[in-house]
Amino acid sequence: MQPLISPSILAADFANLQREVEMLNDSQADFVHVDIMDGVFVPNISFGIPVTEAIHKHSKKPLDVHLMIEQPEKYLASFRKAGAEIITVHYEACTHLHRTIQEIKDLGAKAGVAINPHTPVELLEEVIQDLDLVCIMSVNPGFGGQKFIENTYSKVLKLKNLIQSKGANTWIEIDGGVNLGNASKLIEAGADVLVAGSFVFNSPDPKQVIQGLKEI
Ligand code: DX5
Ligand code: ZN
């Protein structure tokens, strides 16, 4: 099965965001991955709602919004309004995760939960049937261009088992350090969506790289 590809705009040239989004429109990307960082949940600040809106204005691809923020429930409606098609919150940032997932779905978006490298997939057992997507972080969130954590493969296998045992219909997304060297092993383990930031945007031919990931 061909993976779905979600290039992370975090690695794009922010001074030429429209051009970068148009490049993705013209590529085989399935989504645009939009990384929101608040400087509290993660030790970095990226951008927020107005920039998401600006990306959405030019994008023909659905926005896959990854909220690396504390109290994400406060901002769900704003990001939905800004054009988010998938809204992913962090397990570690949500005290009332079940409620937050329902709120995302009530807004008409697909609901995702991301888990940090130290968080076991088993903690999602009671909500997996409600989830459209689980994002397994394959780096510690906060920065692009980090090294892929090898333990991710075994988490993908465990999550795939959990999804199948519960009869759930949930995509497995992998975020961080994805490249052509690990993509096929991730797909074999059960990944459905690959996020790639620096591997796509640091290349002289991003569209070709996206095609390469699609065709593994
Ligand atoms: C990390 C972000 C990722 C990041 C991926 O905190 O959530 O989406 O942009 O970038 P690369 O592919 O460069 O690791
Ligand atoms: Zn991300």
Side-chain angles (χ1 to χ4, degrees):
M1 199 201 75
Q2 273 201 336
L4 298 165
I5 307 299
S6 192
S8 169
I9 204 81
L10 186 68
D13 177 0
F14 287 174
N16 289 288
L17 215 38
Q18 178 175 350
R19 194 191 64 200
E20 298 280 56
V21 171
E22 283 168 355
M23 179 280 290
L24 293 179
N25 287 343
D26 198 32
S27 78
Q28 290 185 52
D30 297 279
F31 302 105
V32 179
H33 187 83
V34 179
D35 284 310
I36 310 296
M37 303 177 181
D38 66 354
V40 181
F41 180 71
V42 289
N44 196 9
I45 298 174
S46 58
F47 52 81
I49 294 152
V51 174
T52 304
E53 223 163 33
I55 295 167
H56 180 241
K57 192 172 143 201
H58 296 287
S59 182
K60 292 185 183 148
K61 314 275 178 171
L63 302 192
D64 164 26
V65 175
H66 178 193
L67 297 179
M68 286 163 275
I69 64 176
E70 295 284 353
Q71 300 189 298
E73 64 280 356
K74 284 188 178 174
Y75 306 99
L76 300 175
S78 302
F79 279 104
R80 176 66 178 144
K81 202 161 162 244
E85 204 60 51
I86 303 172
I87 301 179
T88 297
V89 295
H90 264 264
Y91 174 87
E92 302 82 6
C94 296
T95 308
H96 301 288
L97 183 63
H98 182 273
R99 178 186 290 148
T100 303
I101 293 165
Q102 303 314 318
E103 283 172 359
I104 296 172
K105 295 172 102 170
D106 287 348
L107 289 166
K110 287 195 192 322
V113 171
I115 54 173
N116 278 341
H118 73 278
T119 302
V121 300
E122 289 80 2
L123 290 172
L124 297 175
E125 192 180 332
E126 307 304 333
V127 291
I128 195 76
Q129 277 156 314
D130 296 325
L131 291 177
D132 297 295
L133 177 149
V134 173
C135 175
I136 297 183
M137 292 308 300
S138 40
V139 297
N140 285 292
F143 303 92
Q146 301 182 83
K147 191 173 173 287
F148 179 83
I149 297 172
E150 296 289 322
N151 185 51
T152 305
Y153 301 115
S154 82
K155 289 182 81 173
V156 178
L157 291 170
K158 284 183 202 162
L159 180 57
K160 193 74 188 174
N161 279 336
L162 176 63
I163 290 167
Q164 283 171 346
S165 73
K166 293 278 186 176
N169 190 13
T170 311
W171 282 332
I172 300 177
E173 177 175 75
I174 311 298
D175 188 6
V178 172
N179 56 44
L180 269 180
N182 51 30
S184 50
K185 207 170 155 191
L186 287 167
I187 299 303
E188 267 167 45
D192 303 289
V193 187
L194 301 178
V195 175
S198 41
F199 187 59
V200 168
F201 285 96
N202 290 354
S203 148
D205 191 348
K207 283 191 271 189
Q208 185 64 42
V209 172
I210 294 166
Q211 190 180 335
L213 287 167
K214 245 355 246 184
E215 287 171 357
I216 51 164

